Amino acid sequence: MSPYDLLPRFKAQYDANNQEFSISGVVRPQAIDELGPSIALLRGAIDRVRGVLYVNVRRLTQMNNAAFHAFSRIIIDACRARPDLKFVVITSSVVGWTSRKFGRLSGIEPNITIEEYDSEFYPGQGFLEEGGFVPILRSQTKMTWRHERAILPRHGMRQGIVMADICCGIGDFAVLVQKEFQPARIVALDHSKSSLDYARQVMREFDIRGIEYTYGDASEMLLDEAQFDLVTCRHSLQIFNRPELILKELYRVCKPGGRVYITNEKNSHCLGEPRAESIRWTYNEVAKLFGHFEMDVELGPKSRRYLMEAGFEDIRVETFMVTNLDGDPQDFADIIAAWADVYAGEMATRRGDGPEFVARFRQGFQDHIFAALHPKGYAGWPIWVASGRRPQ
Amino acid sequence: MEPVHHELAGEPTFAPMIQIEMEIKTFVSAWRHCDYVSTYMARMISQNRSDSVRHSNLFSSAFNELLEVAFRSRHGDGELACRVSRHGATDRIELTFPCVPEERQFYEEAMSQATGTEARERYLNSVSGDLAPSREIVLLELAVDYNAILRVEEADGNAIRLVVDLPLEGLRH
């Protein structure tokens, strides 16, 4: 028997609280008998539920026709036997075939509907993904790169490695890494199709090779396990409502002995002189505002705990401060202005903040810009870098 | 590897990418070979697609069905050959395997149904029907869900060659 035979290929579960049957992994049986326990579980779920049964196939990587037919048959039969029961099949836009294949079922039985899980991956992130934000993202990466290019080798970056950049956004970090460190291969994943389109356009225009951009959900990736020497995930755990799910996936795709590298902020520690008090007040409020939308932009110093709890060892943590002295102070000021537009604009409006609050909130950003551009001023944006090794 | 030649006038040239050969007896000795071969070849040929991970997943899904069909055929002695070649957004699978005469007739009929206008309806009827999916239905599904174009070609000896063109790069979900 090979090690392959010992690996669990798929898993079926039933969550009674949510009335959700889920099946994940690779389901390619030769005979339907091999699905016996899973089919019994689905039948049992159908017998117990009222109203709606959710069938979650978001993490179903593969399913052959024999298995698809077996499960479909049970669902279709249940629709005919119990017209009161509705089925909602939750597919993933990442797994290309699932929506097409399961989508056929709704054409057969009207009580079966298909919901494709897609834009709701990251609640609140829509604020940060509008097209106008791209130049700001580029400026941010340019400013952090001055520091990270020196820091990365201490966290496992070296020539010839196989790496993944998860939540790669517009792909500019992957491009900088490719030029500076020449890894053998970079897989760069993001859930934003428009960001990936931009990244691919840049790759074509500048004839960049060695980066594979792929569409996916960081908390449920199609990538095989244990294949990367280094997995980077920058500024993303902090804007995900359940960062531990992403870390679990980063751990899974990292090779034993490889490292996972994360960067995050602690927004309340943004600082500036002069006008320090106003700046401090505003960034404290930024943290609360993100908290309202289930994002933790105070996560930076918590990185060590998160990595430990995810099972990593040899955890290394360091910080750096992006400042107005990193190149052109106007770049720093432009970033703050963009933050002000989004945070004191759409986000504050969405939370229902009044004009008085918004005016004071916005003033702090103005004062931060003032500090950045002042000939004797100093303005800072602190970043926490952390990495951990997956045990051998 | 030999280049792929096609005699049809106006047929685009498909550039060879990868080929795997094995004794058919070895192939049918374990069901998991379908999964092994489809997964391995999908990874190899998807590296330079615009989204390699998504393409690999789709290709493996379609190719595995084809391999499972071949696995369930009645065979004589001989070799199984899987060849993948490419023309633009289309990947071509050529699956050659030994096959008894009755099976050849089955494949010719199945392939002609898969290319017919009623393919989609036939497929839906099969999903809502009581019977387990036949090999014919599996081929239909390739046409319906993956926009595959299928045909049968003559092969040397007692072998048959299934040719499946998969335009996965342009497939929207």
Side-chain angles (χ1 to χ4, degrees), chain A residues 4 9 73 100 214 224, chain B residues 35 43 51 128-129 131 145:
Chain A
Y4 178 93
R9 300 284 285 159
R73 187 68 262 156
R100 294 175 77 87
T214 188
D224 290 331
Chain B
D35 181 46
R43 279 184 197 152
D51 188 330
S128 60
L131 299 172
D145 279 343

Side-chain angles (χ1 to χ4, degrees), chain B residues 105-165:
Chain B
Q105 190 180 347
F106 159 78
Y107 281 113
E108 282 166 357
E109 286 173 11
M111 292 300 212
S112 70
Q113 285 174 353
T115 55
T117 52
E118 294 167 356
R120 188 170 179 276
E121 193 179 342
R122 291 175 63 84
Y123 174 67
L124 287 181
N125 286 339
S126 80
V127 174
S128 60
D130 289 333
L131 299 172
S134 64
R135 289 178 294 157
E136 171 208 337
I137 296 304
V138 171
L139 296 172
L140 266 180
E141 198 247 343
L142 291 177
V144 171
D145 279 343
Y146 300 88
N147 298 345
I149 297 170
L150 305 96
R151 68 170 189 269
V152 184
E153 279 188 359
E154 292 293 323
D156 296 337
N158 294 320
I160 191 170
R161 179 177 300 132
L162 309 184
V163 182
V164 179
D165 287 352

Side-chain angles (χ1 to χ4, degrees), chain A residues 185-188 200 211-215 223, chain B residues 42-43 45-59 169:
Chain A
R185 180 184 175 213
I186 302 178
V187 173
R200 291 191 184 110
I211 304 174
E212 297 163 40
Y213 290 107
T214 188
Y215 173 63
L223 301 172
Chain B
R43 279 184 197 152
I45 64 119
S46 298
Q47 297 292 331
N48 52 353
R49 284 305 197 189
S50 61
D51 188 330
S52 58
V53 178
R54 181 174 179 272
H55 189 275
S56 174
N57 177 258
L58 279 169
F59 187 89
E169 184 76 338

Side-chain angles (χ1 to χ4, degrees), chain B:
Chain B
M1 190 185 296
E2 292 293 315
V4 183
H5 294 294
H6 294 285
E7 294 175 358
L8 293 173
E11 171 85 348
T13 303
F14 278 73
M17 300 190 72
I18 190 169
Q19 179 159 339
I20 289 179
E21 290 168 12
M22 68 173 87
E23 285 291 326
I24 192 75
K25 282 182 179 165
T26 305
F27 176 63
V28 298
S29 67
W31 176 252
R32 64 177 178 271
H33 288 157
C34 302
D35 181 46
Y36 279 153
V37 172
S38 63
T39 304
Y40 175 77
M41 288 184 82
R43 279 184 197 152
M44 290 300 110
I45 64 119
S46 298
Q47 297 292 331
N48 52 353
R49 284 305 197 189
S50 61
D51 188 330
S52 58
V53 178
R54 181 174 179 272
H55 189 275
S56 174
N57 177 258
L58 279 169
F59 187 89
S60 170
S61 187
F63 189 22
N64 180 69
E65 295 297 344
L66 206 58
L67 288 166
E68 289 187 7
V69 164
F71 189 99
R72 293 182 196 277
S73 292
R74 286 178 292 148
H75 314 97
D77 284 340
E79 281 204 333
L80 172 89
C82 317
R83 177 158 58 182
V84 180
S85 51
R86 176 170 296 173
H87 175 74
T90 302
D91 291 311
R92 171 169 290 173
I93 300 169
E94 290 167 274
L95 191 64
T96 310
F97 53 94
C99 166
V100 298
E102 308 88 78
E103 290 277 300
R104 180 189 298 273
Q105 190 180 347
F106 159 78
Y107 281 113
E108 282 166 357
E109 286 173 11
M111 292 300 212
S112 70
Q113 285 174 353
T115 55
T117 52
E118 294 167 356
R120 188 170 179 276
E121 193 179 342
R122 291 175 63 84
Y123 174 67
L124 287 181
N125 286 339
S126 80
V127 174
S128 60
D130 289 333
L131 299 172
S134 64
R135 289 178 294 157
E136 171 208 337
I137 296 304
V138 171
L139 296 172
L140 266 180
E141 198 247 343
L142 291 177
V144 171
D145 279 343
Y146 300 88
N147 298 345
I149 297 170
L150 305 96
R151 68 170 189 269
V152 184
E153 279 188 359
E154 292 293 323
D156 296 337
N158 294 320
I160 191 170
R161 179 177 300 132
L162 309 184
V163 182
V164 179
D165 287 352
L166 288 166
L168 301 180
E169 184 76 338
L171 193 70
R172 305 307 302 175
H173 51 260

Side-chain angles (χ1 to χ4, degrees), chain A residues 26 39 45 51 62 68 83 87 92 128 162 170 199 214 221 231 239 242 244 254 266 274 285 290 312 335 365 392:
Chain A
V26 177
I39 284 177
Q62 295 290 356
F68 173 72
F87 288 86
S92 167
L128 311 177
V162 177
I170 55 172
T214 188
M221 295 187 279
V231 181
I239 52 171
R242 295 184 64 189
E244 67 278 6
C254 182
K266 183 174 173 69
E285 292 300 323
F290 272 79
F312 292 97
I335 289 172
F365 294 115
Q392 288 282 2

Side-chain angles (χ1 to χ4, degrees), chain A residues 185-221:
Chain A
R185 180 184 175 213
I186 302 178
V187 173
L189 177 144
D190 202 88
H191 72 283
S192 163
K193 288 176 183 165
S194 57
S195 295
L196 290 173
D197 286 345
Y198 180 89
R200 291 191 184 110
Q201 181 191 331
V202 169
M203 192 165 68
R204 278 194 301 274
E205 282 180 8
F206 296 100
D207 194 26
I208 296 161
R209 292 164 198 273
I211 304 174
E212 297 163 40
Y213 290 107
T214 188
Y215 173 63
D217 173 4
S219 66
E220 297 184 352
M221 295 187 279

Side-chain angles (χ1 to χ4, degrees), chain A residues 271-275 279 283 324 329-341 362-375 377-379:
Chain A
L271 52 83
E273 283 288 351
R275 304 184 181 177
I279 295 168
Y283 283 97
N324 58 330
Q330 189 61 50
D331 284 344
F332 192 97
D334 289 345
I335 289 172
I336 309 306
W339 291 350
D341 280 348
R362 201 177 278 280
Q363 186 59 47
F365 294 115
Q366 294 304 322
D367 289 340
H368 206 196
I369 292 170
F370 181 81
L373 299 178
H374 193 287
Y378 183 79

Side-chain angles (χ1 to χ4, degrees), chain A residues 16-188:
Chain A
N17 283 338
N18 294 320
Q19 298 203 156
E20 181 179 85
F21 172 84
S22 59
I23 185 160
S24 58
V26 177
V27 191
R28 287 176 165 173
Q30 181 172 8
I32 300 307
D33 300 351
E34 298 167 42
L35 303 174
S38 305
I39 284 177
L41 190 67
L42 177 58
R43 285 191 199 281
I46 290 168
D47 288 343
R48 284 197 296 274
V49 297
R50 290 181 179 182
V52 179
L53 177 64
Y54 292 92
V55 178
N56 185 338
V57 295
R58 272 166 43 198
R59 294 205 69 178
L60 183 58
T61 315
Q62 295 290 356
M63 176 178 264
N64 67 4
N65 267 303
F68 173 72
H69 191 274
F71 284 104
S72 302
R73 187 68 262 156
I74 293 167
I75 293 170
I76 291 168
D77 284 348
C79 285
R80 291 171 183 171
R82 287 185 54 189
D84 60 306
L85 188 59
K86 296 193 185 311
F87 288 86
V88 176
V89 182
I90 304 163
T91 63
S92 167
S93 60
V94 173
V95 188
W97 57 269
T98 51
S99 296
R100 294 175 77 87
K101 198 156 179 161
F102 284 93
R104 307 282 175 215
L105 299 180
S106 61
I108 295 168
E109 284 295 331
N111 276 3
I112 304 172
T113 52
I114 309 298
E115 284 183 7
E116 192 176 68
Y117 178 79
D118 186 346
S119 57
E120 301 301 319
F121 289 160
Y122 307 98
Q125 274 196 38
F127 296 121
L128 311 177
E129 290 173 347
E130 299 307 316
F133 221 68
V134 167
I136 300 308
L137 293 174
R138 290 184 65 91
S139 293
Q140 284 190 179
T141 305
K142 191 169 78 177
M143 297 186 85
T144 56
W145 179 250
R146 293 172 201 278
H147 302 269
E148 286 186 271
R149 67 189 298 187
I151 289 171
L152 278 161
R154 297 198 284 274
H155 296 264
M157 179 67 82
R158 60 189 188 280
Q159 192 175 351
I161 61 169
V162 177
M163 70 164 278
D165 184 29
I166 308 303
C167 306
C168 68
I170 55 172
D172 46 354
F173 177 74
V175 170
L176 289 165
V177 164
Q178 177 67 19
K179 286 180 180 167
E180 180 80 16
F181 296 103
Q182 290 102 41
R185 180 184 175 213
I186 302 178
V187 173

